[in-house]
Structure formats: C-alpha cells, structure tokens
Amino acid sequence: MDATTKLCTCNSGYFEQNGACVACSNKCTTCSVNGVCNACSDPNRKLEQNCECAPGFYDDKTSRCKTCNPICKTCSSATTCVTCYTENNRALVNGQCVCASGYYQVINANN
C-alpha cells in the first residue's frame, strides 16, 4: 500500500495493467507502465535500450546476458554471429565470422 495515497500497488517486479499485476520481463528487476524497465537484471543489459543485452552479449531469454563467441562483434546466440570485427579482417558468412578473402587464420601467433 502506498502510504500517501492509501492505494494498493503491485509488488516489486510487477506492473499494473488493466487492473491486474503483471510480471516484469526477466530482463528487468523493476518496471513501470507497459513493462518498461526501470532497472535491469544484469549489468550487461543497457537500461537506455529497455535492458537489451550490450554488444558482445546475447539474450538467451534468462535474466542474464550470455557472452558471444569472442570472434563475433555481436551475436544472436552462442553459435550465430550478427556482425564481425572487420578491423581484424573478418567477414560474416552464414552467421559465422570467417577470414576475409585473401586472409587466413593464424592458429598460434608464436610459431
């Protein structure tokens, strides 16, 4: 109950919609009208983007963002790159970051 207005309010982690308390997305720890996040559930989520995962991370539909494969600049899953590090001569081919044409993968730079 709100001490000032004496109105009953939804618990933390819920928002009011059409007279019912609805759970916030698992991306949020708290949210407001229409489920807009007020605080994110993971430091790798960006509040200014309604708690979407930061570049280099992907959303696997849990509260935590998962790290992309280090060869991907951004990704949509553990195995699918969306963008590559072009500055490292990488190109996106069928969701994978491969060496750009004319370049090859160095397996061990110390050899």
Side-chain angles (χ1 to χ4, degrees), residues 25-29 40-45 51-54 57-67:
S25 161
N26 62 5
K27 302 183 295 184
C28 315
T29 53
C40 300
S41 59
D42 184 330
N44 293 312
R45 292 188 180 277
C51 295
E52 293 301 320
C53 293
F57 296 88
Y58 68 95
D59 193 338
D60 75 343
K61 308 304 179 208
T62 67
S63 61
R64 310 290 293 172
C65 294
K66 305 288 185 181
T67 305

Side-chain angles (χ1 to χ4, degrees), residues 58-81:
Y58 68 95
D59 193 338
D60 75 343
K61 308 304 179 208
T62 67
S63 61
R64 310 290 293 172
C65 294
K66 305 288 185 181
T67 305
C68 291
N69 180 318
I71 213 161
C72 305
K73 190 170 194 173
T74 61
C75 65
S76 59
S77 72
T79 58
T80 305
C81 299

Side-chain angles (χ1 to χ4, degrees), residues 8-24 31-32 35:
C8 295
T9 58
C10 295
N11 288 329
S12 182
Y14 291 80
F15 66 100
E16 193 272 327
Q17 183 176 50
N18 299 324
C21 292
V22 179
C24 297
C31 62
S32 57

